[in-house]
Amino acid sequence: MTQTIRVDQLLREAVQGPYCDLVTRSTGRAVRTSIQQRLASRPGSLALIDFSEVGLVDFSCADEVIAKLLLDPPTETIIVLQGLREEQLEAIEHVLEHHALAALVHDAASGAARMVGRVSPDLRTAFFTLQRTGPASVQALADRIGWAADRAEAALLALVRLRLARTGSEGFVVPLAPEPLSP
Amino acid sequence: MSRVVEVPASFDDRSFEQFAASFSAGPVTDRMVFDARPAQWASPFGLVGMLTAGQAIKEAGGARPDFTVPAADEVRRYWARTGFFQHAAEFFDLHGKVPRLKPDEQSDVLLDVTPVRASEDVHAVVGKLQAGAARILTHELGIDAKATMGFAMALSEACQNIVEHAGTGGWVAVHAYTFRRRLGRRVVVIAVSDAGVGFRRSLEVTQARRFGDRWGDGAALEAAVIQNVSRFRDPGRGQGIAGIKRYLGRWNGKLSIRSGTARIAIVPEWDDDVPMTEHLAPFPGAQLQIVIPAQESTGG
């Protein structure tokens, strides 16, 4: 099940004013707490955190909302950030780098998710391969890339730990993947 | 008898040292008169610095100081348009003719002198700046429209230092003007000042031991500005000043922070400031200034 959480609505509740900017740590804490409560009350496989009606995102607030949410997620839900503008994404990438974290961002043009933040080349390769070719077991992914199975397993488990992929009945899968390419 | 605190004729971050020396020449509880009659010009840094001095006297329980307003009519009018007198009346007995003017939306004052006491004030400041600053930032300074977000972000982080660390309220102002002497171009200047505990006291518990004998106002500024250290043990802290530096790097801007008896600066190539100055006259709290120059292609 997918749920969409509109950050602008939570922001208005948090600051009780007409502001649309995600600034200050106290605001960030309030918004993150609201997101965590939503995720806990409606657990699902995927949550789209929607920034499309948000104005400025400053570094402190990005740290409180995004970094701390990813460091301490309340459920197994995979989180995808959507509706981000370039300058908002810049602040978020800055804090992800600071914490050595990675996040998924919905790319409006392709409809797929992409990784931002600190991601190793192996994780990037594994993610792109799952995205392009569809769900896979450890061995299937290793075969597709030409890796040893233990290397593929390490990359896949890291993707799951970072909530960038999940395990399903078909194996490891990434969210918002387009139709896989034909072999 | 009152002690006279001289307000420099041209009051910017450099001449601020004259002001600080005059202010700290005796106890803060002295009866004082701030003499601004010779003033010809004040940067936002000077304006928020004077309010900080007044706030420090009030919070120390000192006698309410007198303040003689600038003799020049156009200077009085400019200071009135910045909102300075409106807030100064809270701390000083003003002497002289104070014009009653509303802030001029077409002026070079991007953000009039505004108090910052709580998180909601930061929201208001950021919203107000974004509503009015785009014209000056984009057309006069040649800063990409998208980058005005970065400017607002730097402003937000600068103001949050007051809310998070000062332990009392402070002030912010943002003006654009032509920086003839050092640059010969238009600049936009953010000035933020508070009368709070300052960087040394804020960081003392977590950092003093690490610096040992070197510990002081200069070391505290070095820890905060160069090493991005915060008094909080939360590993996510310290990113505000880091974010400001990142923005300034892109737009060839300058950051300077004065606290206690020291001043640190991240100096771009167009300026001849020094990175660290110590043993200055003591001044309450912390004063931060960000200068963004017009980009070369605009000619300013």
Side-chain angles (χ1 to χ4, degrees):
Chain A
M1 190 181 80
T2 300
Q3 67 166 316
T4 300
I5 298 175
R6 283 186 51 181
V7 177
D8 61 306
Q9 290 179 348
L10 302 183
L11 175 62
R12 274 196 292 275
E13 289 167 19
V15 298
Q16 296 182 340
Y19 309 115
C20 66
D21 299 308
L22 209 49
V23 296
T24 81
R25 285 199 175 265
S26 56
T27 301
R29 276 193 292 274
V31 169
R32 169 171 42 88
T33 302
S34 298
I35 293 173
Q36 287 170 326
Q37 286 167 351
R38 290 277 184 97
L39 293 173
S41 66
R42 287 182 237 166
S45 58
L46 181 66
L48 300 171
I49 311 291
D50 186 1
F51 289 81
S52 50
E53 298 298 321
V54 171
L56 173 69
V57 180
D58 75 10
F59 297 106
S60 298
C61 210
D63 185 72
E64 287 291 337
V65 178
I66 308 300
K68 288 195 168 69
L69 183 64
L70 295 173
L71 284 166
D72 185 24
T75 63
E76 294 300 310
T77 306
I78 287 184
I79 291 166
V80 177
L81 314 177
Q82 76 170 16
L84 285 166
R85 294 193 304 276
E86 189 184 326
E87 58 277 12
Q88 296 169 325
L89 187 56
E90 193 178 320
I92 289 169
E93 285 190 286
H94 176 88
V95 301
L96 293 174
E97 280 288 334
H98 179 87
H99 288 279
L101 285 168
L104 292 173
V105 171
H106 178 239
D107 187 315
S110 68
R114 65 186 172 94
M115 293 183 292
V116 295
R118 194 174 293 184
V119 186
S120 72
D122 272 13
L123 262 59
R124 204 168 285 281
T125 301
F127 183 89
F128 284 148
T129 305
L130 289 175
Q131 199 171 47
R132 275 195 358 259
T133 61
S137 64
V138 169
Q139 190 57 55
L141 184 80
D143 292 343
R144 287 178 200 170
I145 305 174
W147 282 355
D150 58 350
R151 186 177 175 187
E153 183 178 30
L156 287 167
L157 292 178
L159 286 175
V160 171
R161 182 170 42 80
L162 292 167
R163 312 284 176 92
L164 302 171
R166 61 181 169 79
T167 51
S169 56
E170 303 167 278
F172 292 89
V173 60
V174 296
L176 302 177
E179 286 296 307
L181 298 173
S182 303
Chain B
M1 202 171 99
S2 293
R3 178 158 66 82
V4 176
V5 177
E6 291 172 9
V7 175
S10 179
F11 194 1
D12 62 5
D13 57 320
R14 294 201 176 189
S15 57
F16 184 86
E17 296 312 325
Q18 286 171 245
F19 175 73
S22 185
F23 176 70
S24 63
V28 73
T29 48
D30 276 356
R31 175 89 197 166
M32 288 184 243
V33 55
F34 286 66
D35 184 9
R37 283 173 301 174
Q40 293 296 315
W41 179 80
S43 72
F45 193 83
L47 296 173
V48 297
M50 287 187 283
L51 291 173
T52 298
Q55 183 182 352
I57 293 167
K58 183 176 181 180
E59 291 180 359
R64 186 174 166 87
D66 294 309
F67 190 105
T68 55
V69 305
D73 182 54
E74 69 273 21
V75 180
R76 285 198 303 267
R77 293 175 71 81
Y78 184 76
W79 289 20
R81 278 202 305 274
T82 68
F84 171 78
F85 290 126
Q86 177 195 336
H87 299 293
E90 186 184 339
F91 303 116
F92 301 98
D93 284 334
L94 301 176
H95 298 278
K97 191 177 171 187
V98 176
R100 297 194 182 278
L101 297 173
K102 288 182 182 171
D104 176 2
E105 290 184 357
Q106 291 304 306
S107 79
D108 290 343
V109 178
L110 279 73
L111 180 74
D112 49 2
V113 174
T114 304
V116 177
R117 299 187 182 99
S119 176
E120 301 78 60
D121 297 326
V122 181
H123 277 277
V125 160
V126 168
K128 198 170 171 185
L129 181 102
Q130 289 185 99
R135 175 184 61 86
I136 290 175
L137 290 174
T138 307
H139 296 124
E140 293 191 22
L141 295 168
I143 291 174
D144 186 292
K146 277 187 202 162
T148 59
M149 280 280 192
F151 185 82
M153 199 186 298
L155 175 72
S156 168
E157 298 291 355
C159 291
Q160 281 181 70
N161 273 336
I162 297 176
V163 178
E164 295 281 334
H165 303 290
T168 186
W171 308 90
V172 58
V174 186
H175 297 181
Y177 54 85
T178 302
F179 212 2
R180 289 185 213 287
R181 195 180 51 190
R182 278 181 259 170
L183 188 64
R185 265 189 268 158
R186 296 281 284 170
V187 293
V188 63
V189 175
I190 297 174
V192 177
S193 180
D194 68 73
V197 298
F199 279 66
R200 181 175 55 76
R201 277 183 59 197
S202 174
L203 293 173
E204 203 144 52
V205 172
T206 57
Q207 301 299 314
R209 186 178 294 175
R210 187 164 72 87
F211 280 84
D213 290 344
R214 277 192 61 217
W215 182 247
D217 291 319
L221 285 170
E222 179 187 320
V225 177
I226 306 300
Q227 300 165 10
N228 304 322
V229 162
S230 163
R231 73 186 166 99
F232 296 103
R233 295 191 190 276
D234 175 351
R237 293 293 186 133
Q239 294 184 69
I241 290 179
I244 292 173
K245 287 190 292 182
R246 183 178 159 129
Y247 177 75
L248 294 178
R250 185 172 304 167
W251 297 98
N252 202 19
K254 177 182 174 184
L255 169 69
S256 60
I257 304 180
R258 191 194 194 285
S259 183
T261 58
R263 181 175 176 278
I264 196 167
I266 306 292
V267 187
E269 88 286 346
W270 52 260
D271 197 52
D272 59 359
D273 204 349
V274 291
M276 173 69 80
T277 316
E278 293 185 88
H279 312 299
L280 299 168
F283 196 79
Q287 293 73 47
L288 176 150
Q289 180 173 265
I290 293 169
V291 182
I292 308 288
Q295 302 306 292
E296 296 271 16
S297 57
T298 65

